[in-house]
Amino acid sequence: MPDTQTSTTELTSQYTAQVAGDLARNTKEQDRITAEIDALQEQLRALQHDHTVLTSMQRALGATDTATQPAPEAAAAPSVPRQKTTAQSGTGKRVRAKKTATAQSGESVKKPAAKKPEAAAKATASKAAQPTLVELIRLHLTDQSEPRSAAEIATALGQAHPDRTIKTTVVRTTVEGLVAKSHAQRTKQGSSVYYTTTGTPEPATPATAPAEDQPDAN
């Protein structure tokens, strides 16, 4: 009887340890996928912003071209043939007068309309000058004299750009993408990871990274 209880206890301990390990791996995998989703959403927002700018510029250019073209009614007005009878000629004059007035009113409506897309394009173009997260990270690393962790980069960028929401997980995924493209370098000090731009010298003792910046073990 004691032998049966011992084996049952050992089996329960093994299952408990296995379940705990599987749960830890599941949690880490969720964190990794969440970081990738955040990075993709940041890239999607940048593409949508560029699409809005290009669409506004396209509309502005299209409206300007349309406004410079002569109205078809005004060009066709002189080609109306003169009528022989007095009644018909009077009707023709009234028709021509209506067409001319319509053409003039159409031109007066089109001219102000052409200014609106231009103003919208200028306002949108000013927003397009805002750098992307990738550009911000590269500029920040270039200005640094020593390696920086993802948490330090996120904190610095958040303070420099309070109007933008910058998460450490998104920064880590983005800078890893720069490392994959050889635009940045990754170094490790113990269990901490630091980043520098390509060709930037690394000091002997970089600052200690916050606990939240330690890489996940996949």
Side-chain angles (χ1 to χ4, degrees):
M1 198 59 186
D3 293 339
T4 304
Q5 292 179 352
T6 301
S7 16
T8 302
T9 303
E10 291 177 353
L11 184 61
T12 302
S13 300
Q14 292 176 0
Y15 277 117
T16 301
Q18 181 177 355
V19 169
D22 293 341
L23 182 60
R25 285 191 293 272
N26 183 280
T27 301
K28 290 181 179 180
E29 186 69 11
Q30 289 185 38
D31 293 340
R32 183 184 66 81
I33 294 176
T34 300
E36 291 180 357
I37 291 174
D38 291 339
L40 290 175
Q41 287 178 344
E42 178 70 19
Q43 295 177 9
L44 177 60
R45 282 192 292 269
L47 291 174
Q48 290 174 341
H49 177 72
D50 293 342
H51 182 271
T52 302
V53 173
L54 294 173
T55 301
S56 299
M57 295 178 65
Q58 185 183 50
R59 290 177 180 173
L61 294 173
T64 302
D65 295 340
T66 304
T68 57
Q69 295 178 357
E73 293 84 359
S79 63
V80 178
R82 297 181 61 185
Q83 302 296 327
K84 293 182 179 180
T85 61
T86 304
Q88 291 177 347
S89 62
T91 303
K93 290 179 180 179
R94 287 194 296 271
V95 171
R96 287 195 297 272
K98 290 182 179 178
K99 289 183 178 180
T100 304
T102 303
Q104 292 177 350
S105 62
E107 291 176 356
S108 63
V109 171
K110 290 178 181 178
K111 288 179 180 179
K115 296 180 181 179
K116 292 182 179 180
E118 292 177 0
K122 290 180 180 179
T124 312
S126 62
K127 294 181 180 179
Q130 186 177 14
T132 62
L133 181 60
V134 175
E135 294 173 346
L136 290 177
I137 292 175
R138 293 186 65 179
L139 290 174
H140 178 73
L141 290 178
T142 301
D143 294 338
Q144 301 305 308
S145 59
E146 61 182 13
R148 287 290 183 266
S149 64
E152 291 172 337
I153 296 172
T155 300
L157 294 182
Q159 294 175 353
H161 303 276
D163 57 326
R164 301 181 63 165
T165 302
I166 300 177
K167 298 180 179 180
T168 303
T169 53
V170 178
V171 170
R172 183 182 294 110
T173 303
T174 304
V175 77
E176 284 293 339
L178 292 174
V179 172
K181 297 178 181 179
S182 299
H183 294 163
Q185 292 180 347
R186 182 200 307 112
T187 57
K188 293 189 67 175
Q189 289 289 334
S191 59
S192 302
V193 179
Y194 299 89
Y195 302 95
T196 58
T197 55
T198 304
T200 302
E202 300 174 8
T205 56
T208 303
E212 63 176 2
D213 190 48
Q214 296 182 358
D216 297 335
N218 291 332

